[in-house]
Amino acid sequence: FQLEKSSAVELYTYLTLILVCVLLYIFSDYLKICALAFRLPGPKSYPVIGNCLDIARKDLITREMAQAYKNYGPLARVWIFVFPMFVVFDPNDLKVILSSKKHTNKSMFYKLLHNFLGRGLITSSGHKWSSHRKLIQPSFNIAILEKFIDTFTDSASFLIDKLPKEETVLNVTEYVNNCVLDILNEAVLGVPVKSVDKKEMEQSPFRQGKVVAPYRITHPWLLFNSIYKLTDAATAELNQKKQLDDFSRKMIRRRREILKTLSPSDRRCLLDFMIEISNENPDFTEDDIIDEACTFMLAGQDSVGAAVAFTLFLLARHQDQQAKCYEEIERHIGTDCSKPPSAEGIRELRHLEACIKESLRLYPSVPLMARKIGEDVRVGKYNLPTGTEIMILPYATHRLEHIYPDPERFDPERFGDGAPHQNPYAFLPFSAGPRNCIGYKFAYIEMKTVIARVLQNFHLSPAPGKEEVQPIFRMTLRARGGLWVKMTPRKVVS
C-alpha cells in the first residue's frame, strides 16, 4: 500500500511539473514582458487594476502626459489591468517601430473600438489592413482630393451663415464640429450640403456616435467580452453599431443608383470610389465598405473638428500670426466670399498650414496611439520582445525640449519654409510610416479651406476670462468647457 501511495505521489509530482512547464512555455513571452515592466519607471500603479483609473484623471493630459518624458525618460511602462504596455517617446526610437512594416499590427485594445468604428483601416491589422489600404489609397490622390474644395467651401459658407452677424463671444467647438460633419456627409456619403434633407441628416446616427472604450478600461473587468456583453453598455453599443451599419447601407444603395446617371462633371464621394473598388474586387465586400465609411465618418469628425477649433482659438490669442494668415488669404484667395478658392490658392496658404501644424503639435487630436511589436526591437538599452504592446503619446513627444525649444509656446515658424529639417517621427498628429492616416492630405486641405473662410469673414480675438485651455482626453483631445473666441465681422466683399 505504501509503495502504491508513493508511486501516486510521484506521478502527481511529475504531472504537476509538466503542467508548470507547459504553462511557463505558454506564458513565457508574457512573463518576459512583465519582468521588463517591473524594471522600468512609470506612473504609480495599483494591484490588479494597474493604471486603468488614470484614464479618468482630469490632469492626465496637462500633468502626466506633458511631463512624462521628464519624469520617466525615453521609455516608460504602464499597466492596463494585468497587461503591461511600454511608452516610447523619442523620435529615433519611434522611427524604428513606426517605419517598419513588421510592426503595423494594432494593439489588442483597438478591438474595443470594433463596435464603434467597425473593422476599417484604423482598427484592422494584417492582410485585411494591407489589402484595404492598397485598394483605397488611389482615392486619396492629391488631384482627387483637391476636387473636394468646393464641398469644403460650401460647408464653410454654411458655417458662416450660422454665425452671428454682430460681434459676439462664442464657443467655436460646436459650430466647427457641425461644419466638419456637413463636409463628411457630402465627401464620404454623397449628401450635398446645399440640398441636404435636414430631417434625415439631423437623425443620422453619425451625429450621436458614442465611444465606450475609455469606460471599459476604467472598469477593467469589462475588458472581458464574456462579462461586457451582459451589460447595458454593450447592448447600447451594439444597437448604435446596427444603426450606423443600416444607415451606411442605405447610403450605399442610394449612391449605387446615382452612379448609373453620374456625369463626369458631377461631384463624387468616397462611397462612389469604394463601390467601384467593390465591383472590381469581390473580396472588398459591402460590409467592408460599411466598415471604412464608418471609420472615415467617425474618426474624421472629432479629430478635424478639434484641430480647426484649437487653431482658431490660438490665432485669436496670437494676433501677429492671425494677421500673417489674413494677409496671405488676401493675396492668394482674396476677400470676395462669393468666389470659391482655387486649389492653387489653398496650396499657397503656407503660413496658415504652419499655424495648423503648430496647433496640432500643441494639441494633437489623437494624443495616444498603440501598436503591437512584430519582432524583437531594441529601444535604448532595452530589448522589447515580440508581442510587446507599445503606446505612443504624440502629446508628450511634441513637447520634447531638445526638439521643440520652449515647447508650450505657439510658434508656427517651427513649420515655416525656412525651418530646419524636421524629424518626421517627432511630429505625429497623423501617425507616421506605413500606417499613417490615409486621409491626412484631405484633412489639411479641409482645415485650410474652413479656417480661411472664417478669417475672410471674421477677426478673432481672445474671449475675456476664457483665454486658457484645459485639454481633456476622450479618445480624441478636446477642451474642457469648450474653446471660446470673440468674433468680430470684417467688412468684406460679397
Side-chain angles (χ1 to χ4, degrees):
F1 177 77
Q2 290 294 331
L3 287 173
E4 289 179 359
K5 185 177 180 180
S6 176
S7 298
V9 169
E10 288 183 6
L11 177 61
Y12 290 138
T13 301
Y14 287 135
L15 290 175
T16 301
L17 287 172
I18 292 172
L19 179 61
V20 169
C21 289
V22 170
L23 291 174
L24 286 173
Y25 176 77
I26 293 173
F27 293 103
S28 60
D29 289 340
Y30 171 75
L31 294 174
K32 283 194 296 184
I33 293 170
C34 287
L36 176 58
F38 285 121
R39 293 165 54 196
L40 288 171
K44 181 180 179 181
S45 59
Y46 298 92
V48 183
I49 63 172
N51 299 107
C52 288
L53 297 182
D54 288 345
I55 296 292
R57 283 177 51 183
K58 293 182 180 179
D59 62 351
L60 174 65
I61 296 288
T62 54
R63 290 180 61 85
E64 194 58 58
M65 283 193 185
Q67 302 298 319
Y69 183 82
K70 289 182 179 179
N71 292 338
Y72 311 122
L75 184 66
R77 62 97 189 107
V78 295
W79 290 88
I80 305 298
F81 192 37
V82 294
F83 304 106
M85 299 188 74
F86 300 94
V87 190
V88 181
F89 298 101
D90 190 86
N92 292 322
D93 294 330
L94 288 171
K95 180 180 179 180
V96 174
I97 297 166
L98 296 178
S99 66
S100 173
K101 291 184 178 180
K102 296 177 181 178
H103 310 305
T104 55
N105 284 348
K106 288 295 183 82
S107 163
M108 63 180 177
F109 293 102
Y110 279 78
K111 293 179 181 178
L112 303 180
L113 296 172
H114 281 170
N115 286 336
F116 179 65
L117 291 177
R119 290 167 170 78
L121 288 176
I122 289 180
T123 58
S124 61
S125 294
H127 175 71
K128 181 172 183 177
W129 168 77
S130 61
S131 62
H132 283 202
R133 176 82 183 215
K134 184 176 181 180
L135 289 170
I136 297 172
Q137 186 69 61
S139 302
F140 285 83
N141 177 282
I142 191 66
I144 293 175
L145 297 182
E146 288 182 338
K147 293 179 180 179
F148 286 104
I149 288 177
D150 287 344
T151 295
F152 304 154
T153 303
D154 288 346
S155 299
S157 297
F158 198 52
L159 164 66
I160 300 303
D161 291 341
K162 291 181 179 179
L163 291 170
K165 299 302 181 285
E166 65 281 343
E167 182 176 276
T168 188
V169 173
L170 53 77
N171 178 1
V172 296
T173 306
E174 183 177 350
Y175 288 92
V176 167
N177 287 345
N178 286 333
C179 175
V180 171
L181 185 55
D182 286 339
I183 288 171
L184 292 172
N185 283 334
E186 180 167 331
V188 178
L189 303 179
V191 183
V193 176
K194 291 183 176 179
S195 61
V196 67
D197 182 333
K198 298 297 180 187
K199 186 175 181 181
E200 178 184 48
M201 297 315 294
E202 284 174 2
Q203 295 174 351
S204 165
F206 289 112
R207 285 188 177 273
Q208 298 132 19
K210 183 179 180 181
V211 59
V212 298
Y215 174 76
R216 293 182 67 178
I217 291 174
T218 55
H219 299 74
W221 55 91
L222 298 181
L223 294 174
F224 298 98
N225 282 328
S226 57
I227 298 175
Y228 174 64
K229 69 181 182 181
L230 301 175
T231 66
D232 291 340
T235 302
E237 187 182 41
L238 288 172
N239 182 57
Q240 173 182 271
K241 177 59 177 168
K242 183 178 185 305
Q243 291 179 35
L244 291 170
D245 288 356
D246 290 346
F247 189 83
S248 299
R249 210 175 294 277
K250 176 182 174 182
M251 295 296 106
I252 292 171
R253 288 197 300 269
R254 179 180 295 180
R255 292 308 299 182
R256 286 189 189 278
E257 289 301 314
I258 291 173
L259 278 171
K260 295 176 182 178
T261 58
L262 200 67
S263 71
S265 61
D266 290 332
R267 293 187 188 181
R268 305 190 70 192
C269 66
L270 292 178
L271 272 189
D272 297 343
F273 295 113
M274 290 193 286
I275 289 170
E276 291 176 352
I277 291 170
S278 180
N279 291 340
E280 297 172 4
N281 300 271
D283 290 341
F284 192 79
T285 66
E286 185 166 290
D287 287 340
D288 293 326
I289 298 176
I290 290 171
D291 281 338
E292 301 300 351
C294 287
T295 294
F296 293 133
M297 287 296 297
L298 294 168
Q301 278 185 54
D302 287 348
S303 57
V304 173
V308 171
F310 274 112
T311 303
L312 293 174
F313 176 83
L314 289 167
L315 288 176
R317 288 184 57 186
H318 298 85
Q319 295 293 304
D320 57 334
Q321 302 298 339
Q322 183 182 169
K324 288 183 180 180
C325 289
Y326 185 68
E327 184 276 329
E328 187 177 58
I329 291 167
E330 282 187 308
R331 183 158 23 100
H332 296 294
I333 294 178
T335 57
D336 186 347
C337 296
S338 66
K339 295 181 180 179
S342 66
E344 182 181 3
I346 294 297
R347 282 197 300 269
E348 290 299 319
L349 301 181
R350 293 191 175 92
H351 188 73
L352 175 56
E353 183 171 327
C355 288
I356 293 170
K357 288 181 176 179
E358 179 68 347
S359 299
L360 285 168
R361 182 190 69 80
L362 284 167
Y363 303 108
S365 300
V366 182
L368 183 155
M369 298 175 281
R371 294 283 179 85
K372 188 173 184 177
I373 296 299
E375 66 177 15
D376 289 6
V377 170
R378 190 77 179 174
V379 174
K381 60 181 181 180
Y382 298 101
N383 188 60
L384 303 183
T386 302
T388 298
E389 299 275 346
I390 294 296
M391 191 178 290
I392 301 156
L393 303 180
Y395 194 93
T397 296
H398 291 179
R399 282 168 167 74
L400 298 180
E401 292 188 18
H402 59 280
I403 297 173
Y404 300 107
D406 194 6
E408 295 297 337
R409 179 168 57 93
F410 180 70
D411 181 12
E413 300 305 328
R414 302 181 205 268
F415 299 95
D417 290 339
H421 179 68
Q422 188 69 257
N423 185 330
Y425 297 89
F427 182 62
L428 304 165
F430 298 101
S431 189
R435 283 212 73 151
N436 70 338
C437 174
I438 194 172
Y440 81 95
K441 292 180 181 178
F442 179 100
Y444 276 127
I445 300 171
E446 176 185 6
M447 291 186 285
K448 289 167 73 174
T449 304
V450 172
I451 295 170
R453 208 53 151 181
V454 171
L455 292 180
Q456 276 182 318
N457 287 271
F458 292 92
H459 175 265
L460 313 178
S461 52
K466 297 180 183 292
E467 295 94 341
E468 300 303 317
V469 178
Q470 291 183 300
I472 57 175
F473 170 68
R474 199 180 74 188
M475 297 309 294
T476 54
L477 196 71
R478 57 193 63 205
R480 185 182 302 279
L483 293 163
W484 293 77
V485 173
K486 180 193 282 187
M487 306 188 72
T488 304
R490 298 182 190 269
K491 293 181 180 179
V492 296
V493 179
S494 61

